[in-house]
Amino acid sequence: MNPPNPTSLAESPPETPPRRRAIRLPTDRHAIVDNFFRFQSLFGLVAVFLIAIAVSPSRNGENVFLSSGNLANIVRAVSEIGIIAVGMTFVILIGGIDLSVGAVLGLAAVGSATLMVDSGLGIVPTVLIVLFIGTAFGATQGAIVARLGIQSFIVTLAGLQAARGIARMWSGGLGIPIAYGDGPQEAPETFSLLSGSINGVLPVPALLFLAIGVGALLVLRSTAFARHVYAIGGNEKAARLSGVPVRRVRITVFAISGLLAALAGIIHAGQLNQGSPNDGAGYELDAIAAVVIGGTSLAGGSGSMGGTIAGALLLGILNNILALNNIDANVQLVVKGLVIVAAAALQRLRPRIA
């Protein structure tokens, strides 16, 4: 074999270095649009907060909206809806809906008052029994949806009526006032802490909402259960073929919704010092609104718990600033409706733009 000619090697052109692929900077148009839709609830919350500051009335030179007492009232008022919305998020992520949560709240409020006042039970057994009732109610609805294949809208609409009926039979159709003390027909004084606050600043219900929201946020970010929830909402048939226990996950999701609705009912009874079978009327709609404003798709498979928390706070701020400006209650409903439609419209626009 002849050795290579040095002259020919020297005259050969150098190899062209491989071309580097262009790297998209995170500031390009698509990334900006995608991030906007991803954090639409947070941007909306900031925008509504700033608008509330700008249009808030003043009292003695102080911005009423920014006063510590008013901010505490906002987070206190939103805590019950927020807790229910956390459970609703799980349900909507699998493509379902739960219309019974408001009625379950009323049932839990009645149960809390009845068990402590009429039956003389302590706080711990009362809370455990009420939470069990809410969980069992939700799990039963989930089992009907999962095993009989009936749409969750129909099942939970029937559940709404059933929960209201049970609450009215349990209470005799009347509200049960909660008085505190050690005697008969009185609840333990400790239960009144649900209407209190930490250091006079952070309301106890808001603290519970924060704890539950953070816990649910961690669950959705880091557990196999969360992956199953998203998989079912994205494509139930594909999830089942992939080995996801669809029935079990569906039942669990509705059980979580019932559990959190019952917890909200206990808080409701503690804040109002009574349990009424009519408590929680319409709460299911506010909870769904918070989830939708938070960016969760009603078709399932897409959404976040952080968005739901932001959506609940947005609704609370909106209600508060409209009330501070003495806006007619009917106009308030119209404004809330427009906000919900706008949030839903953004969801529809996202796949077209992003």
Side-chain angles (χ1 to χ4, degrees):
M1 179 180 292
N2 295 327
N5 188 348
T7 304
S8 62
L9 290 176
E11 293 176 353
S12 61
E15 293 184 5
T16 304
R19 296 182 61 185
R20 295 183 179 180
R21 295 182 62 185
I23 299 176
R24 273 190 173 181
L25 297 177
T27 54
D28 69 7
R29 175 178 175 273
H30 294 285
I32 293 174
V33 172
D34 184 66
N35 285 330
F36 170 77
F37 282 104
R38 183 181 178 186
F39 299 106
Q40 69 177 55
S41 57
L42 181 59
F43 291 142
L45 176 61
V46 172
V48 170
F49 188 84
L50 294 176
I51 292 172
I53 295 174
V55 302
S56 170
S58 298
R59 185 179 300 142
N60 298 326
E62 180 186 13
N63 188 293
V64 176
F65 174 77
L66 288 178
S67 64
S68 58
N70 185 67
L71 293 177
N73 287 336
I74 293 175
V75 292
R76 180 188 295 277
V78 82
S79 60
E80 295 173 23
I81 295 297
I83 290 173
I84 294 175
V86 168
M88 187 72 73
T89 303
F90 285 103
V91 175
I92 292 179
L93 280 174
I94 64 169
I97 201 76
D98 189 351
L99 299 179
S100 69
V101 288
V104 172
L105 181 148
L107 176 61
V110 166
S112 300
T114 303
L115 292 173
M116 287 189 296
V117 174
D118 293 342
S119 301
L121 294 182
I123 293 177
V124 173
T126 294
V127 169
L128 292 178
I129 291 172
V130 171
L131 292 181
F132 174 78
I133 292 172
T135 304
F137 195 93
T140 300
Q141 293 185 124
I144 294 173
V145 172
R147 297 188 177 278
L148 299 183
I150 305 176
Q151 291 184 348
S152 58
F153 180 92
I154 301 299
V155 173
T156 58
L157 180 62
L160 182 156
Q161 302 295 333
R164 287 286 179 213
I166 295 171
R168 288 173 182 170
M169 289 188 291
W170 200 354
S171 66
L174 302 174
I176 301 173
I178 300 176
Y180 298 104
D182 297 326
Q185 301 294 307
E186 291 180 330
E189 189 72 32
T190 310
F191 193 71
S192 64
L193 292 176
L194 288 175
S195 61
S197 57
I198 307 298
N199 294 327
V201 177
L202 182 63
V204 172
L207 184 63
L208 293 173
F209 171 40
L210 176 63
I212 291 168
V214 171
L217 187 66
L218 295 176
V219 167
L220 276 187
R221 285 188 173 182
S222 58
T223 64
F225 172 73
R227 292 191 290 273
H228 292 168
V229 168
Y230 281 108
I232 294 171
N235 190 323
E236 181 177 335
K237 183 177 180 179
R240 183 179 288 107
L241 293 175
S242 300
V244 174
V246 175
R247 286 184 177 180
R248 186 171 66 198
V249 172
R250 195 177 292 277
I251 293 172
T252 302
V253 161
F254 278 94
I256 292 172
S257 182
L259 170 67
L260 294 181
L263 176 59
I266 294 171
I267 296 172
H268 188 83
Q271 292 200 93
L272 298 185
N273 296 326
Q274 73 158 7
S276 170
N278 297 319
D279 288 341
Y283 277 34
E284 62 278 355
L285 301 181
D286 284 342
I288 294 171
V291 176
V292 172
I293 291 173
T296 298
S297 171
L298 287 174
S302 174
S304 69
M305 197 60 66
T308 293
I309 296 172
L313 291 173
L314 188 154
L315 278 178
I317 293 173
L318 186 62
N319 288 335
N320 180 263
I321 195 60
L322 291 173
L324 288 179
N325 285 280
N326 296 319
I327 303 299
D328 183 83
N330 296 320
V331 177
Q332 293 185 34
L333 293 175
V334 173
V335 172
K336 288 171 61 177
L338 292 175
V339 170
I340 296 169
V341 170
L346 282 176
Q347 291 185 16
R348 296 288 296 173
L349 289 173
R350 179 171 182 171
R352 299 178 186 176
I353 297 178

